[in-house]
Amino acid sequence: MTSSAKICTNGATSNGLKKRLHFCSDFDRSIVINTFLRHGWKEVSPEGDWNIYWSNTLNCRNLFMENRHRLQDNQLINHFPNHHELVRKDLLVKNFNRYRKELERNNHPLAEKIQVRDPSGRTVTRYLYLDFIPTTYILPTDYNLFLEEYRKSPQTTWILKPCGKSQGAGIILINKLSQLKKWSRESKKYLQHQLTSKDTYVISRYIDNPLLIGGKKFDLRIYVLVTSYRPLKAYMFRNGFCRFCSMKYDKSLTELDNVYVHLTNVSVQKHGEEYNESHGGKLGIQNLKLYLQGTRGSDVTKRLFEDIQWLIVHSLKAVAPVMLNDRHCFECYGYDIIIDTDLKPWLIEVNASPSMVGTTENDRILKNRLVDNILSVVLPPNGIPDARWNKTPSSDALGDFDVLIDEDLIYKDNIAQLARETGQGPMRK
Amino acid sequence: MADGVSPLVWKEEREISFMSKCHKAMKEKGLDTKLRNTVFHWVRTQNKQSKLDPLTSLTKASVQWEKRIHKSLNSMCSDLETSLAKFRFQSELEELAEKWNELSTYNLDLSKYRPVYAPKDFLEVLITLSGYVPFTKEDEPKWEFAHLPLQVKTLDQLRKIYIEWSNGEPLLGVSPNMPSQVNDFPTLEAERIGLGERVAALGYAPVIQEYLKRGSPQCLRAKLWAQVLGAEVSAQQISYFNQLKRSVLEVDLMIDKLIFKDVQLTASNDDQYFVFEDLLYQVMLCFSRDCEVMQQLRGSTGTPLTVAIKGRQTSADSVTVFPPSGIIPFHGFTMYATPFCYLYDDPVQLYFMFRAFYLRYWHRLHYISTHPQGIVSLCLLYERLLESNEPLLWIHFRNINVNPGHLPPEQLLLLWDSILGYDCLEILPLLSLAILSFRKENIFQVNTLQNVDAVLADLSTISVIPLLQLALMKP
Ligand SMILES: Nc1ncnc2c1ncn2[C@@H]1O[C@H](COP(=O)(O)OP(=O)(O)O)[C@@H](O)[C@H]1O
Ligand SMILES: [Mg+2]
């Protein structure tokens, strides 16, 4: 960057967030902008001398690719340059599979495998601690592998998702091979072998036994803030929520293409007849916890929430080696997680730009707090962005974030103890 | 006698040994706990007021209030050209039966139905109980209930009842993460879970009641609450519930619409309870058909209507008490059931807990009587507490009945622990006082009643138990 970024301080105040910073945002109606303005910060253009840029993923990638800017120490941006390694559905699976293979090659205790019986009575081999992404194949590349798996248990339902889309768009449920063949004929996708990400799909085992409350399916939206990949520093926001379907869950074939039964995206549900604007289908995660403790007991509930943390940490570790760990970057991910009837969490996908629009009053309050807390974690105590800072926020600065992992702290603590602990990770057998 | 043992003594010894054997056998089979619990629950249901209310002014008000409700029910019926009770057509019955588990999809036009009354209406009746207004200067508190010759407790007396709280004993609702005072447990919460599990296994209601005083962990509540109220579910309860369901399906009562409306107005739009909507329809509808409710409350509630059920040849069974439970729901009635949704996902268990709680406690808030746990006494208690502890803080007690919907479920559950533990409702006026004192600064800053209401309306950030314990501990 040619002109160095400017910072106007209000002199007297010592509180970090009182500094008058410059920000830039690619989003119009967003809680992010409101929060920045509430702090008294000034909006500038992407070419301006911003201190914090809340960009969309495309602009962020361009900014790093074009390399026309060298970011200054006092500039932060809200994405890592190659975040797609985590958030694109096919790449997440690729990276995660590679991570497990590597651990296995090194005879790491985390890569332990066991034999289990699947619902059809077939004996299958599973990772003991790292089995939390539903079996997934990338199409068209893995089509033959998929066929092989399909034939082994033909009664499984699969979910087909385009890698280049989001918000539930283009998703179909499949329980007969003919449906997939028909789809591929129509879209001519796998015949043409044009491997752009737009034409890439994933097909995953459909979790057909989701935990239901009031008879309805839901998934969790959990916010995870990463401030560094090497060392890994990640924080989980305490106030995630459940996103409920507006219609009762129904496994029957006739409802297989009913998105209001199967897809929990708010962007899908809000078009439904049963959608309710005052709650938006969102139940706070603390209330989910209360409900599970009350109806299922505290041990299984505690276990579930530990498993969720475990899942997040290992999804991040899986991509950490390939991430460009630029010190100007932080990223707040929206994790989509489904809990099944055995209270086992499954990672569905990770989003790099989770919606920052409040759908209800409480949603607005929650997201305001989220952005506030993100800022206080990524800014050093003096409130001025500093890429050279060691990124170790005080416990006060965490707000509603809990530390998921901070490898700086861990290494300082005791490496030997870590080895012991990860050897007996919390995932169930 | 030569051998020195008289036959009498011998007989006695034999009896004693028989008794102790008996006792032992019962213990082994868990029968003694059952027997003792039965006695406990029986005794608790017997101390009802059966004699007439000694205060004629109250009796009169209570009768008038009931008349008013019946009148408004009847006029709503004639306005809407419907009847209070009618048999459902077969098609309607079938549709309702089919949708029993998702009644939110049962389409009803409710636009013309209005709640019969709201808590505020009832409060107004209470305020104008005898038309007696003490002479006061403009800017002085007007104590509304002071003239009623009822005995209520002072704060000091409450301190003696809530002795654990006023002694500053560690409460789960105050600091679950504080270090435990008992060895082997890292935190108070762990200690309470450990103790609670033993208490639950013992299953003896008075012990459970004692335990609840200091708060139950959420994971044990479902069990402990059912045990302390004797509301456990067995085959008998299940078949009784199905009977209630049957009568919902067969007969269309006008208040069914009011129930639907109330669930819609309270739970369906609330982001803490919307997921439980379908459960609540079932529970609230069945409750209205439950004639055991009326039987158990006989004497402490009024005299319900009796109406003919339209639509079939008149026969003996086509007359019904309206509603069979004798309880006409008001706006917000469903909120007495909503917190249980965080404990029970089975409608039958949810139903019997809700019913037991209503029968023991909540009905007292809706009938004008002189009972020490009744709404009038609680209002008076509130007023006296305010007068002697916050004399400067005057407010028309709009908030005697803290609207439960405004507290988050976790807080409500903790509050209800204490109602069960101390088996009384005096905690409610005390809470109102505590909230008022807590928000005192803000209240003094606003001057219209509306603004005062606004200051008090948002209770979402309040931790009730610490507030209450603070109020009970000596300064
Ligand atoms: N494997 C699965 N099993 C069950 N439900 C799934 C699965 N994958 C996706 N879903 C449902 O579909 C929704 C959308 O899928 P997702 O992978 O998040 O794609 P999108 O990017 O369109 O949001 C999820 O929120 C979830 O409700
Ligand atoms: Mg998604």
Side-chain angles (χ1 to χ4, degrees):
Chain A
M1 194 156 218
T2 44
S3 66
S4 82
K6 256 185 278 166
I7 299 152
C8 318
T9 58
N10 295 353
T13 62
S14 60
N15 182 336
L17 296 181
K18 293 279 156 56
K19 302 278 168 7
R20 188 168 158 84
L21 300 180
H22 291 177
F23 74 91
C24 173
S25 167
D26 289 338
F27 301 89
D28 291 339
R29 299 177 310 113
S30 155
I31 286 184
V32 179
I33 295 194
N34 293 342
T35 307
F36 290 159
L37 292 176
R38 201 159 19 89
H39 285 310
W41 297 356
K42 196 178 148 214
E43 180 156 16
V44 297
S45 73
E47 289 74 35
D49 53 352
W50 46 265
N51 301 110
I52 290 195
Y53 184 5
W54 202 277
S55 65
N56 63 35
T57 51
L58 193 67
N59 286 347
C60 174
R61 208 157 51 228
N62 289 342
L63 185 137
F64 279 102
M65 283 211 313
E66 288 168 11
N67 210 12
R68 79 192 129 91
H69 299 310
R70 250 193 58 71
L71 294 184
Q72 304 290 308
D73 279 347
N74 60 10
Q75 291 191 298
L76 296 178
I77 186 161
N78 68 326
H79 293 291
F80 285 90
N82 59 341
H83 57 265
H84 48 264
E85 297 287 350
L86 179 66
V87 304
R88 230 177 65 192
K89 297 176 174 66
D90 51 338
L91 295 181
L92 169 65
V93 169
K94 264 188 196 157
N95 283 315
F96 188 65
N97 287 344
R98 197 205 50 240
Y99 173 66
R100 295 197 295 197
K101 289 250 166 61
E102 259 162 36
L103 289 172
E104 203 174 343
R105 218 179 6 258
N106 298 330
N107 284 324
H108 197 285
L110 271 182
E112 193 180 331
K113 286 180 161 179
I114 47 153
Q115 309 269 320
V116 291
R117 275 178 182 273
D118 76 358
S120 64
R122 190 164 60 109
T123 305
V124 288
T125 309
R126 293 234 181 287
Y127 285 92
L128 180 54
Y129 305 116
L130 297 174
D131 176 41
F132 51 72
I133 297 186
T135 310
T136 297
Y137 297 93
I138 298 163
L139 296 184
T141 343
D142 296 340
Y143 185 68
N144 289 330
L145 284 174
F146 167 72
L147 276 189
E148 211 176 290
E149 177 66 23
Y150 178 87
R151 298 214 166 96
K152 282 187 205 151
S153 57
Q155 67 280 36
T156 307
T157 302
W158 297 85
I159 183 166
L160 179 69
K161 307 188 261 191
C163 294
K165 291 187 181 154
S166 65
Q167 305 198 317
I171 295 182
I172 51 176
L173 265 62
I174 283 180
N175 75 334
K176 278 198 214 78
L177 206 53
S178 58
Q179 291 166 312
L180 183 63
K181 287 189 171 146
K182 182 164 162 254
W183 165 80
S184 92
R185 247 193 334 274
E186 279 167 8
S187 57
K188 298 260 181 352
K189 285 294 173 325
Y190 86 101
L191 295 175
Q192 290 182 349
H193 282 272
Q194 293 175 335
L195 296 178
T196 68
S197 87
K198 275 209 184 66
D199 297 327
T200 307
Y201 282 72
V202 291
I203 190 159
S204 307
R205 183 173 72 79
Y206 187 65
I207 306 295
D208 64 357
N209 61 336
L211 175 68
L212 306 179
I213 300 181
K216 286 167 184 155
K217 174 179 171 175
F218 64 96
D219 73 354
L220 299 182
R221 166 51 57 91
I222 290 178
Y223 298 101
V224 174
L225 173 65
V226 175
T227 56
S228 158
Y229 274 97
R230 295 186 304 277
L232 184 58
K233 288 169 182 274
Y235 308 85
M236 176 167 143
F237 195 56
R238 232 169 276 155
N239 309 313
F241 48 85
C242 311
R243 306 180 300 179
F244 276 83
C245 285
S246 54
M247 287 178 72
K248 293 252 161 180
Y249 188 64
D250 184 344
K251 277 204 267 190
S252 64
L253 297 183
T254 50
E255 295 296 325
L256 213 54
D257 56 1
N258 186 342
V259 289
Y260 303 120
V261 172
H262 293 286
L263 304 190
T264 51
N265 305 68
V266 175
S267 43
V268 169
Q269 294 295 331
K270 72 174 175 216
H271 299 298
E273 236 171 75
E274 308 286 335
Y275 182 77
N276 176 309
E277 297 204 337
S278 54
H279 54 68
K282 291 175 178 174
L283 179 82
I285 208 166
Q286 297 304 334
N287 282 333
L288 171 72
K289 208 179 212 170
L290 190 70
Y291 170 80
L292 289 176
Q293 283 170 342
T295 55
R296 303 278 194 121
S298 69
D299 290 346
V300 286
T301 307
K302 191 161 160 257
R303 182 64 174 264
L304 167 68
F305 282 85
E306 282 168 3
D307 285 356
I308 288 173
Q309 298 197 356
W310 173 266
L311 166 166
I312 295 171
V313 166
H314 284 282
S315 67
L316 293 173
K317 283 189 163 189
V319 297
V322 295
M323 279 291 183
L324 296 169
N325 191 43
D326 193 298
R327 294 195 63 83
H328 302 89
C329 304
F330 66 90
E331 200 156 25
C332 176
Y333 302 104
Y335 271 70
D336 289 352
I337 292 170
I338 287 192
I339 304 169
D340 71 16
T341 37
D342 302 325
L343 295 195
K344 179 181 163 79
W346 293 94
L347 174 56
I348 298 302
E349 69 151 348
V350 186
N351 296 279
S353 301
S355 159
M356 285 294 168
V357 180
T359 51
T360 65
E361 182 55 26
N362 280 344
D363 201 39
R364 258 187 296 284
I365 294 172
L366 181 149
K367 283 169 181 167
N368 266 312
R369 177 124 187 106
L370 172 64
V371 178
D372 265 345
N373 288 175
I374 290 174
L375 292 179
S376 83
V377 171
V378 301
L379 292 176
N382 73 0
I384 302 166
D386 185 355
R388 296 160 307 175
W389 180 45
N390 67 7
K391 299 193 171 184
T392 307
S394 71
S395 54
D396 278 348
L398 290 178
D400 285 345
F401 276 111
D402 290 317
V403 181
L404 268 177
I405 182 169
D406 185 332
E407 288 180 338
D408 263 350
L409 299 183
I410 295 175
Y411 292 141
K412 261 183 228 148
D413 271 7
N414 190 332
I415 295 168
Q417 195 183 336
L418 169 79
R420 260 207 316 275
E421 277 171 8
T422 51
Q424 12 177 282
M427 291 304 277
R428 75 195 68 220
K429 304 227 170 186
Chain B
M1 266 163 103
D3 56 7
V5 182
S6 79
L8 199 68
V9 173
W10 181 76
K11 188 169 167 254
E12 241 171 41
E13 267 177 8
R14 212 172 47 170
E15 249 169 28
I16 290 169
S17 96
F18 171 75
M19 289 287 280
S20 73
K21 262 191 204 146
C22 224
H23 202 81
K24 195 161 157 262
M26 277 171 54
K27 247 193 181 143
E28 276 160 7
K29 295 216 158 66
L31 282 176
D32 76 322
T33 307
K34 229 178 205 168
L35 187 67
R36 285 202 244 175
N37 281 345
T38 309
V39 173
F40 173 81
H41 297 310
W42 183 80
V43 169
R44 296 218 311 177
T45 53
Q46 293 313 300
N47 52 17
K48 290 251 165 61
Q49 220 174 359
S50 46
K51 49 185 174 342
L52 278 177
D53 241 316
L55 281 181
T56 40
S57 64
L58 291 195
T59 322
K60 239 162 92 196
S62 149
V63 172
Q64 267 168 9
W65 170 243
E66 197 176 25
K67 267 196 194 136
R68 217 176 106 188
I69 292 176
H70 290 168
K71 205 170 138 205
S72 103
L73 273 175
N74 277 315
S75 66
M76 200 182 321
C77 261
S78 51
D79 287 353
L80 298 171
E81 292 175 344
T82 180
S83 42
L84 283 174
K86 57 187 178 197
F87 287 104
R88 290 188 206 278
F89 296 116
Q90 189 61 24
S91 58
E92 197 186 337
L93 187 156
E94 278 163 16
E95 189 192 351
L96 201 58
E98 190 190 316
K99 293 189 168 165
W100 182 249
N101 287 320
E102 41 182 335
L103 287 172
S104 51
T105 63
Y106 184 72
N107 277 330
L108 282 172
D109 178 15
L110 300 173
S111 53
K112 296 209 184 78
Y113 287 85
R114 301 271 171 273
V116 186
Y117 72 99
K120 286 220 156 142
D121 303 327
F122 186 52
L123 212 52
E124 257 147 41
V125 172
L126 290 176
I127 291 173
T128 56
L129 259 181
S130 70
Y132 171 94
V133 181
F135 172 75
T136 48
K137 285 187 227 130
E138 264 304 294
D139 51 353
E140 254 179 26
K142 248 193 306 197
W143 302 107
E144 312 271 2
F145 288 90
H147 64 283
L148 290 172
L150 292 175
Q151 285 285 325
V152 295
K153 300 191 176 69
T154 62
L155 188 53
D156 270 334
Q157 284 169 323
L158 286 181
R159 285 183 173 128
K160 291 205 181 86
I161 293 178
Y162 294 90
I163 187 80
E164 291 80 5
W165 293 31
S166 55
N167 279 346
E169 285 186 30
L171 305 179
L172 193 61
V174 176
S175 42
N177 296 321
M178 71 181 273
S180 164
Q181 294 168 336
V182 182
N183 290 342
D184 309 336
F185 295 110
T187 61
L188 176 64
E189 187 176 19
E191 173 197 325
R192 297 295 294 165
I193 292 178
L195 181 61
E197 276 166 353
R198 279 165 46 209
V199 167
L202 186 68
Y204 185 35
V207 176
I208 296 168
Q209 190 190 330
E210 200 57 34
Y211 172 84
L212 287 174
K213 291 180 176 175
R214 287 174 53 204
S216 167
Q218 169 72 353
C219 57
L220 293 172
R221 255 193 203 114
K223 182 148 190 215
L224 295 176
W225 284 19
Q227 285 173 322
V228 82
L229 287 177
E232 292 115 320
V233 161
S234 63
Q236 195 191 339
Q237 276 76 21
I238 296 173
S239 88
Y240 186 71
F241 185 78
N242 285 330
Q243 229 170 290
L244 297 175
K245 170 182 168 184
R246 194 72 232 154
S247 67
V248 173
L249 296 182
E250 274 168 5
V251 179
D252 178 2
L253 297 186
M254 194 271 263
I255 58 160
D256 292 352
K257 314 276 192 324
L258 298 177
I259 290 169
F260 269 97
K261 183 111 187 171
D262 192 53
V263 174
Q264 278 177 16
L265 287 174
T266 53
S268 312
N269 292 324
D270 187 309
D271 63 1
Q272 328 208 54
Y273 298 113
F274 71 95
V275 288
F276 309 116
E277 185 184 359
D278 288 330
L279 264 180
L280 291 164
Y281 287 120
Q282 290 186 17
V283 166
M284 303 316 283
L285 287 171
C286 284
F287 184 76
S288 68
R289 304 303 199 274
D290 194 339
C291 53
E292 285 183 11
V293 171
M294 193 179 63
Q295 280 154 18
Q296 292 198 33
L297 294 181
R298 183 159 285 155
S300 39
T301 66
T303 328
L305 296 170
T306 307
V307 300
I309 310 177
K310 298 260 167 63
R312 261 187 216 171
Q313 293 300 316
T314 323
S315 69
D317 63 59
S318 58
V319 168
T320 180
V321 173
F322 183 89
S325 65
I327 311 294
I328 295 179
F330 58 90
H331 176 39
F333 191 59
T334 310
M335 287 183 196
Y336 286 143
T338 46
F340 296 117
C341 297
Y342 279 93
L343 300 177
Y344 309 102
D345 45 16
D346 167 38
V348 184
Q349 180 65 75
L350 178 58
Y351 178 77
F352 282 97
M353 252 331 282
F354 160 67
R355 187 181 92 158
F357 222 103
Y358 185 84
L359 287 176
R360 181 126 197 103
Y361 304 106
W362 299 135
H363 78 271
R364 302 222 175 274
L365 300 184
H366 304 284
Y367 291 92
I368 302 172
S369 78
T370 53
H371 193 282
Q373 296 289 310
I375 185 69
V376 182
S377 299
L378 293 180
C379 286
L380 180 60
L381 172 61
Y382 168 75
E383 200 178 278
R384 291 265 164 82
L385 286 174
L386 199 57
E387 181 183 28
S388 50
N389 298 287
E390 292 288 354
L392 283 177
L393 190 63
W394 173 69
I395 173 170
H396 257 11
F397 56 77
R398 298 276 161 188
N399 296 283
I400 173 66
N401 182 8
V402 178
N403 199 337
H406 293 160
L407 285 172
E410 191 175 8
Q411 295 293 313
L412 277 179
L413 293 167
L414 284 164
L415 186 68
W416 292 17
D417 273 347
S418 79
I419 292 176
L420 288 165
Y422 290 99
D423 195 30
C424 59
L425 292 170
E426 271 113 344
I427 203 78
L428 297 179
L430 189 64
L431 178 63
S432 308
L433 172 78
I435 290 174
L436 276 187
S437 333
F438 183 67
R439 294 270 160 98
K440 185 156 60 175
E441 306 296 310
N442 305 16
I443 291 172
F444 279 137
Q445 280 165 17
V446 297
N447 40 24
T448 71
L449 195 59
Q450 221 173 5
N451 289 346
V452 172
D453 271 351
V455 169
L456 296 171
D458 179 21
L459 302 180
S460 59
T461 55
I462 279 189
S463 289
V464 293
I465 307 296
L467 218 54
L468 282 165
Q469 188 169 34
L470 213 64
L472 281 165
M473 280 166 69
K474 279 239 163 72

